[in-house]
Amino acid sequence: MKEMSVKLGIVVLVGIIFLSMNYYQVKEEVIQGKKEEAVKVAVTIDDNVNYVDLDDYLLGVVAGEMPANFELEALKAQVVASRTFVYNRNLSVDNTVNSQVYLSEDEMKKNWGDKYNEYHQKISEAIKETNNEVMKYNNEYISALFFSSSNGYTENVEDYFESSPLPYLRSVDSHWDLTIDPKNTRQTTFTKQELKEKFNCQDLNFNIIAYKKSGRVATLNVDGKNYSGRQVREILGLSSSCFTIEYVNNNYVFTTKGSGHGVGMSQYGAQGMALEGSDYKEILNHYYTGIEIVNN
């Protein structure tokens, strides 16, 4: 009888220990879940601040920034870049190209139509499979800039923005863009009068004085005044600062290659690499020099 009582006591004790361990495990999972749910992004839309769960924000951002029919590995690279981008900005962004374009659920449904469920699931998978992953350099979140497509090379950050050189935003090969992007080469036509008004000048004497190593225009002289390639792009609304100028039938034709500022990850380049079999970490390490991909 005594032996049976001892055995029963041991069984009860083991049961209590098991239940205690299970309780603390569940409690820890709940706590961790609450921590993840607590991460909110402050998104300014039309001067109103909206607080959005991080994963929901990433879904809307990738939907707004990258074609959803891209390869999963390209989408995963975009997710990590976008997650890093928002952490670098202390979880506070706006809903413009100055930060990251963010689509609401209704906008996604409108854009994707009958592909909504497929694309929603695909991007959600990319977010889940890269859960909490960010890019750092010297243990700090990088400024994970990205753009649509290049002229075959990305740009050093200081060669486009008014910025000090950054070791992870260097010019790298991105030859995929030239064949993957169906609109890599674009043409925009202006009359003489239109250009005189845009540059506020009396005479149109165009002279490209200098190019950057990436092939983009460094300096354009218009009627004796110098403009950077970026300034010309913004004044004329060009797709990129890689352009040539031709005078055809009394009009000026600007032919551009690529789309965007050219700094950081090329999205069409990411797609090209993914199609060749590269995974998202290989894509990110190619476009962001010397970074580490870590769990946040």
Side-chain angles (χ1 to χ4, degrees):
M1 188 71 178
K2 184 176 180 182
E3 184 179 343
M4 185 179 296
S5 298
V6 171
K7 288 182 178 179
L8 182 60
I10 292 172
V11 170
V12 171
L13 180 60
V14 169
I16 292 172
I17 292 172
F18 175 78
L19 289 173
S20 297
M21 290 174 63
N22 191 54
Y23 167 78
Y24 284 111
Q25 182 180 350
V26 170
K27 184 178 179 182
E28 180 64 23
E29 288 175 356
V30 170
I31 291 172
Q32 289 177 354
K34 285 182 177 178
K35 284 181 180 177
E36 290 179 3
E37 292 175 1
V39 178
K40 299 279 186 179
V41 182
V43 186
T44 301
I45 304 175
D46 297 328
D47 296 326
N48 295 315
V49 179
N50 299 266
Y51 292 93
V52 183
D53 285 352
L54 177 58
D55 282 358
D56 291 339
Y57 173 74
L58 291 174
L59 178 61
V61 162
V62 176
E65 291 285 1
M66 180 176 271
N69 63 354
F70 272 18
E71 295 292 300
L72 181 61
E73 293 303 311
L75 291 170
K76 285 158 73 172
Q78 181 65 58
V79 169
V80 176
S82 293
R83 186 184 290 117
T84 305
F85 185 100
V86 74
Y87 270 109
N88 176 264
R89 284 154 180 76
N90 297 318
L91 299 173
S92 180
V93 294
D94 61 36
N95 185 32
T96 70
V97 292
N98 293 324
S99 290
Q100 299 184 107
V101 176
Y102 166 79
L103 298 186
S104 67
E105 199 79 14
D106 288 341
E107 289 170 323
M108 284 185 269
K109 289 179 179 178
K110 181 180 178 181
N111 287 359
W112 292 339
D114 58 6
K115 292 278 190 179
Y116 171 79
N117 289 332
E118 176 189 343
Y119 289 163
H120 191 283
Q121 182 178 349
K122 188 177 181 182
I123 296 175
S124 296
E125 182 181 350
I127 294 169
K128 183 178 179 180
E129 292 187 8
T130 62
N131 186 41
N132 288 330
E133 289 184 337
V134 293
M135 290 179 286
K136 289 188 175 183
Y137 188 92
N138 284 345
N139 207 34
E140 293 184 356
Y141 299 114
I142 72 167
S143 181
L145 299 177
F146 54 86
F147 62 99
S148 181
S149 71
S150 76
N151 63 344
Y153 291 90
T154 66
E155 187 74 285
N156 292 325
V157 64
E158 72 275 12
D159 288 339
Y160 188 83
F161 296 103
E162 293 180 2
S163 165
S164 299
L166 291 171
Y168 54 82
L169 292 177
R170 313 316 301 153
S171 177
V172 299
D173 169 69
S174 192
H175 64 273
W176 304 274
D177 309 49
L178 301 176
T179 53
I180 293 293
D181 178 9
K183 296 181 180 179
N184 186 268
T185 300
R186 295 173 172 87
Q187 289 190 328
T188 309
T189 302
F190 300 94
T191 65
K192 286 183 179 180
Q193 187 58 36
E194 285 174 332
L195 291 175
K196 285 181 179 179
E197 290 175 359
K198 287 180 180 296
F199 287 103
N200 191 26
C201 64
Q202 298 300 315
D203 196 9
L204 289 177
N205 294 317
F206 287 118
N207 182 22
I208 297 178
I209 296 175
Y211 289 90
K212 298 170 185 175
K213 289 182 179 179
S214 66
R216 294 171 177 83
V217 172
T219 309
L220 174 71
N221 185 278
V222 183
D223 195 25
K225 184 177 179 180
N226 287 342
Y227 296 86
S228 69
R230 177 184 178 180
Q231 287 175 318
V232 175
R233 179 195 172 206
E234 292 174 350
I235 290 171
L236 300 183
L238 301 177
S239 294
S240 79
S241 57
C242 178
F243 59 83
T244 57
I245 309 169
E246 292 180 285
Y247 187 60
V248 182
N249 297 327
N250 295 320
N251 289 317
Y252 287 89
V253 179
F254 285 72
T255 301
T256 57
K257 284 192 175 296
S259 179
H261 50 64
V263 181
M265 184 182 74
S266 163
Q267 293 169 318
Y268 272 95
Q271 171 70 348
M273 290 185 69
L275 287 170
E276 289 183 354
S278 296
D279 66 26
Y280 72 100
K281 290 186 177 181
E282 291 172 323
I283 294 169
L284 294 171
N285 277 292
H286 175 73
Y287 283 108
Y288 302 104
T289 307
I291 54 94
E292 288 183 299
I293 300 171
V294 299
N295 286 317
N296 199 27

